[in-house]
Amino acid sequence: MTTLVLDAGDLFGNRTKKDLKTAEFLAGHTAKFGYDAIGLGERDLNFGLEFLRRMIQEHKLPYTNANVRDAATGELILPEFLVIERAGVRFGVCSVMDPAHKIISMAAKDGEYEVAEPIATLRDLLPRLREQCDTVVLLSHLGDQPTEAIVQEVQGIDLVVVGHSFKPYNREKIVADAILLSAVYDGRVIGRADVRVSPESGKVMAVDVAVTSLDDAVADDPAMLESVNQFLEGLEAERLAQRAAFPRDLGSPDESFLGNANCSSCHKQIYEEWRKTDHARAFTSLRAKEMQFEPECLACHTTGYRHHNGYDEQQQSQLSHIQCEACHGYGTQHDRSGAMLKTARESCVQCHDNDNRPCFDGNQEAVFEYAKAWEKIAH
Ligand code: HEC
Ligand code: HEC
Ligand code: HEC
Ligand code: HEC
């Protein structure tokens, strides 16, 4: 009796800065589970190759993948397969990923990786792998249906752990002689497969699968819980510190932003004009980059972020985007003295700041000229 501990990939989460910290934390804790092999998922590339390599090195994570190559060198980025000997049986463990899965990398430029077609990859690899092992295990980061299609196309796979899938199989599934087991996301379940392997042929003779939900019925490990809580407290402290770098001290606590809906009730025409501008989508741009909780971005992509009573990411208030009052100032100061027009003309450079814009990207042509810029969005 011996145990192989396997994971089909996607250890890391989304690709915001906060998620990068979470990825580091998860990598360290995953190492403590003592995995024998981990397949590569597209999320594991979210922070770029450098980061993945650093995590593998620092935490000795046994990643393997047979179809992702460094575009610059053409080399595989990970070991093509692992051979793990247990109780006299040599398990050859390999993994493939789907070229169609999007790799959104924060650190990497587009095209840092190339993902080869999984079927062709396995056709080439399996005969070589079989020479070195008795039982072939595929960590398939393809989801359930593509995996089932692949084991029908490619002969010689004994056991498959299916990743990139949201539906766990509750028991094993047999497709074209291969035995498929599935994992699900977020460590919500732990799957256990008791496999009997013929010592002579290396063939899998029998499998018995149990899937346990890691719900409230399973007690938390006290040391792990403590460590998770400490990590979350650290994240929260950091968030508060970041928020404090953008104090809400402009304007006055006695004034309020009334929001677009108020203004549009009397200035219908201007509201319709405004809706056509990018200002009306500025917050959506942050969401598209999963940066909608970053104070350094919210300062210019919402209304009144640095003012008393302005946009608040904790309350998800109605002041997202660059609304009327981002330029004209507090609605509670509405008069017809011309003051709100002056405020608006002077507002632009707070955000169209050529030096202090994290999204500026060094584009010299983007230098702000009031007259030209106003012409584009005038109402
Ligand atoms: C609160 C910050 C902020 C203020 C104030 C602001 N802008 Fe912008 N502006 C932005 C952001 C952010 C975008 C990009 C929105 C996006 O694409 O997500 C933008 C985009 C633009 C664009 C390109 C959008 C288009 O529809 O073509 C123009 C032109 C522009 N602003 C002009 C101005 C002018 C003129 C002023 C002052 C009267 C002004 N902005 C005030 C933040 C601001
Ligand atoms: C100092 C103000 C400022 C800050 C801070 C800021 N932006 Fe912007 N952002 C702008 C302005 C102004 C534009 C309009 C485009 C331009 O002039 O380049 C813009 C445009 C954008 C766009 C649309 C442009 C495009 O390429 O289509 C995105 C996306 C964006 N910002 C994301 C971010 C993110 C993410 C952050 C935080 C890391 C951030 N911005 C922080 C002012 C800012
Ligand atoms: C990007 C900044 C910006 C935003 C957002 C903005 N405005 Fe303006 N608005 C200005 C500027 C600048 C002027 C003055 C232009 C001038 O005459 O010099 C102006 C002028 C006006 C005027 C006077 C128009 C006139 O005919 O004299 C009204 C009313 C007004 N805005 C209402 C609104 C309302 C309502 C919204 C929201 C739906 C809005 N604005 C959004 C910058 C902005
Ligand atoms: C109850 C109706 C009403 C509401 C609500 C309203 N306004 Fe006005 N606003 C007016 C009228 C009337 C004028 C003067 C006539 C004009 O310039 O259109 C005016 C003028 C303005 C002016 C020109 C100011 C000046 O000093 O010349 C701006 C800017 C403006 N409004 C912005 C806003 C903004 C921003 C909001 C939302 C916070 C808003 N208004 C809400 C009715 C309203």
Side-chain angles (χ1 to χ4, degrees), residues 16 22 30 99 133 148 177 191 261 267 277 302 312 328 360 368 379:
T16 66
T22 308
T30 300
C133 72
E148 289 172 24
D177 272 357
H267 299 285
T277 69
T302 63
D312 181 344
H328 286 291
F360 181 60
F368 186 77
H379 50 254

Side-chain angles (χ1 to χ4, degrees), residues 258-273:
L258 304 177
N260 274 343
N262 175 287
C263 316
S264 69
S265 65
C266 294
H267 299 285
K268 190 85 190 134
Q269 186 61 37
I270 289 178
Y271 176 75
E272 292 304 330
E273 290 296 319

Side-chain angles (χ1 to χ4, degrees), residues 25 46 94 101 136 189 214 223 370:
F25 177 80
N46 268 350
C94 61
H101 293 162
V136 171
V189 303
L214 294 178
Y370 178 82

